[in-house]
Amino acid sequence: MARYQLDARRLLCPMPVIRAQERVQSLAPGDVLEVLCTDPGAANDIPAWCRINGHRVVNIDDLGDTLVVTIEVGDT
Amino acid sequence: MNRQPKAISLISGGLDSMLATKVVMEQGVHVEGINFFTGFCVEGHTHAIRQKDRDRVKRNNALWVAEQLGIKLHIVDVIEEYKDVLINPKHGYGANLNPCQDCKTFMVRKALEWIESRDFDFIITGEVVGQRPKSQRKDIMPVVARESGAGDRLLRPLCAKILPPTLPELEGWIQREQLHDFSGRSRKPQMELAEHYGFKEYAQPAGGCCFLTDEPYSNKLVDLWQARGERDYEFDDIMLLKVGRHLRPRPHFKLIIAREEGEGRFLEGYRRSFTSLSTLSHNGPLALVDGKADDNDLELAARIVARYSQGRDAERVQVEVRDAGGSCRVMDIAPFLAADIADAWRV
Ligand code: SF4
């Protein structure tokens, strides 16, 4: 189980979701991906995308300027 | 077939594609959704930029629809490939720069590539014959099916009964009798079907699903092409067309002036790619210079920007001009009067 980071700062929705989706495709179940974003919409879109595609949002951290959405890759 | 048939459904986020998907799911087909991001989709961006939109629910309608239906959704970035659709549409444009027919053909073709690489069987769209004056005419429907290469693997469940039978019907994967015969501009049949399925909330795609149907937006894109002498664009260009006040005081440059704080923050991110202006002596908006501006042009730009600042009635305003490399200088100028800003400059 590895931990990865994706920089989606300055991208506007739905680009953070698209980039997260592309990245998740190359990861294994159980891997963890931290997505850094600045578009507040990502706090809704990434979890929605995870729910419907079988991944889990472990944490959403609001660092002021940046949101860190942590995803655990599901086995779908 | 000795497995469950599988279909991909083009999900726009509106009601029609939601209903079309549900109709097919009800017949026991495994359906997943696909949504293409062209860069012009109304979805998302504007919420993030403008302050007044920040308080609204920030929701991606396509994701929301997929969740309501309980299906997977694949969002596909087609920004680069879409350029050719928009720049050279074989069937021309709608009322503005919307190349709807070519756009539909393109999306169905991309969906076809998707199903072929994943062993899916057919494609679903929420189109309704006669719903839109140009791109959903009955005679256009077979053209989209043919030119996309999808042929009879393209099913439009909401109006399938008035179109020739498609592969999933002929193969008996779904029953034609349980499909629909909606046509024309009335939304009543859709409302009734939504009621039948218990869909209480859904997005109303009034003007279409993208900025290309928007006249002011299309005008800005035409202006950009004219100024550059070529019909091309980069992703940042089309993002910036959604933001700020655009003024072109000279053919070779334009100003993009933030109208409020949210836009200012967004433009801030482009200061390393453009010369930018901001007022020092008074509160005022951030502005980007798109094009090549010499010293006289920059003075003109500074006077315009000062006009939109709180120093508009002052005798002199100090404006900082910063180039893309970060070097700054200060100009001390007299703000323009309202009458000095020619109407023809407004893009
Ligand atoms: S409105 Fe925009 S996205 Fe929808 S079909 Fe027309 S060009 Fe394509």
Side-chain angles (χ1 to χ4, degrees):
Chain A
M1 259 167 275
R3 207 176 174 88
Y4 300 89
Q5 204 173 62
L6 170 70
D7 187 357
R9 284 175 297 182
R10 285 200 53 226
L11 296 180
L12 297 178
C13 285
M15 289 312 286
V17 184
I18 295 178
R19 293 287 169 261
Q21 176 186 266
E22 288 165 352
R23 193 64 188 274
V24 162
Q25 266 160 19
S26 65
L27 303 182
D31 282 351
V32 171
L33 178 66
E34 287 177 1
V35 189
L36 312 185
C37 346
T38 43
D39 182 345
N44 290 314
D45 289 0
I46 296 179
W49 178 81
C50 287
R51 282 195 299 275
I52 59 180
N53 289 288
H55 310 294
R56 195 167 72 92
V57 173
V58 184
N59 194 30
I60 302 182
D61 229 351
D62 189 346
L63 307 180
D65 279 357
T66 306
L67 277 171
V68 184
V69 185
T70 308
I71 304 171
E72 187 187 295
V73 179
D75 51 11
T76 49
Chain B
M1 191 181 328
N2 46 18
R3 62 159 170 82
Q4 185 186 22
K6 293 194 274 189
I8 191 82
S9 182
L10 270 69
I11 301 286
S12 65
L15 177 61
D16 292 5
S17 54
M18 186 178 186
L19 291 171
T21 309
K22 183 72 176 170
V23 167
V24 175
M25 289 170 74
E26 290 284 287
Q27 297 211 34
V29 175
H30 170 86
V31 185
E32 295 186 14
I34 196 162
N35 174 265
F36 295 106
F37 182 61
T38 61
F40 296 98
C41 310
V42 176
E43 210 67 75
H45 293 103
T46 37
H47 304 323
I49 302 169
R50 298 200 69 176
Q51 203 70 31
K52 70 178 174 61
D53 295 325
R54 286 201 156 212
D55 306 328
R56 285 214 310 249
V57 188
K58 293 169 206 76
R59 154 178 115 181
N60 177 305
N61 283 321
L63 281 169
W64 184 83
V65 163
E67 195 165 13
Q68 298 308 301
L69 294 167
I71 60 170
K72 287 190 176 182
L73 181 76
H74 311 274
I75 307 181
V76 184
D77 165 2
V78 290
I79 297 164
E80 273 307 305
E81 284 171 90
Y82 195 75
K83 278 187 187 174
D84 189 47
V85 179
L86 173 57
I87 294 170
N88 307 303
K90 189 171 154 192
H91 299 283
Y93 300 104
N96 294 297
L97 273 185
N98 47 314
C100 291
Q101 189 179 338
D102 290 84
C103 175
K104 290 205 160 96
T105 306
F106 168 77
M107 289 187 183
V108 173
R109 189 183 320 118
K110 294 301 295 175
L112 179 68
E113 284 169 18
W114 195 94
I115 65 167
E116 284 179 339
S117 65
R118 287 166 180 82
D119 201 23
F120 271 53
D121 306 299
F122 65 101
I123 301 162
I124 303 164
T125 71
E127 290 162 286
V128 168
V129 167
Q131 180 97 137
R132 295 196 198 274
K134 258 187 117 172
S135 61
Q136 296 195 12
R137 284 199 331 249
K138 195 170 178 183
D139 55 326
I140 301 291
M141 299 239 169
V143 181
V144 172
R146 190 178 61 241
E147 290 186 355
S148 64
D152 66 358
R153 279 179 292 174
L154 174 58
L155 174 72
R156 287 110 164 180
L158 300 186
C159 59
K161 274 178 155 173
I162 45 176
L163 295 172
T166 57
L167 184 75
E169 297 159 82
L170 295 168
E171 290 286 336
W173 302 333
I174 56 170
Q175 303 304 313
R176 186 171 170 87
E177 304 77 66
Q178 289 176 37
L179 301 174
H180 296 275
D181 57 359
F182 300 170
S183 73
R185 309 202 67 166
S186 163
R187 305 283 302 154
K188 213 168 154 234
Q190 282 95 317
M191 301 298 179
E192 283 170 5
L193 192 58
E195 173 108 29
H196 168 74
Y197 286 136
F199 296 158
K200 301 234 165 359
E201 200 197 329
Y202 37 84
Q204 298 282 6
C209 29
C210 78
F211 270 103
L212 297 171
T213 57
D214 181 61
E215 190 181 347
Y217 187 89
S218 296
N219 291 343
K220 285 186 201 145
L221 187 53
V222 169
D223 165 78
L224 183 102
W225 285 343
Q226 275 168 354
R228 297 205 181 150
E230 58 171 354
R231 287 158 59 87
D232 198 2
Y233 59 85
E234 295 304 324
F235 183 56
D236 280 342
D237 294 325
I238 61 176
M239 286 292 106
L240 285 169
L241 295 185
K242 296 177 188 174
V243 188
R245 197 188 303 280
H246 290 232
L247 294 177
R248 185 175 295 285
R250 296 287 178 267
H252 52 278
F253 83 95
K254 76 168 172 180
L255 285 171
I256 305 171
I257 307 172
R259 289 169 296 190
E260 40 97 293
E261 223 184 302
E263 290 191 338
R265 264 198 306 275
F266 180 76
L267 295 183
E268 196 60 53
Y270 286 91
R271 291 184 90 176
R272 286 205 191 127
S273 319
F274 293 86
T275 294
S276 56
L277 291 92
S278 54
T279 47
L280 288 181
S281 51
H282 300 79
N283 279 335
L286 177 65
L288 303 182
V289 179
D290 183 14
K292 283 206 170 64
D294 63 19
D295 282 354
N296 287 333
D297 295 330
L298 287 174
E299 187 182 326
L300 174 73
R303 298 185 69 188
I304 295 172
V305 174
R307 172 73 217 160
Y308 291 100
S309 78
Q310 285 178 6
R312 67 180 65 88
D313 299 320
E315 263 181 42
R316 309 293 294 177
V317 169
Q318 275 87 50
V319 178
E320 183 188 78
V321 180
R322 189 162 108 176
D323 68 23
S327 316
C328 298
R329 64 185 155 127
V330 177
M331 285 185 162
D332 181 81
I333 48 82
F336 267 148
L337 301 173
D340 297 329
I341 312 268
D343 272 345
W345 294 354
R346 295 178 210 276
V347 183

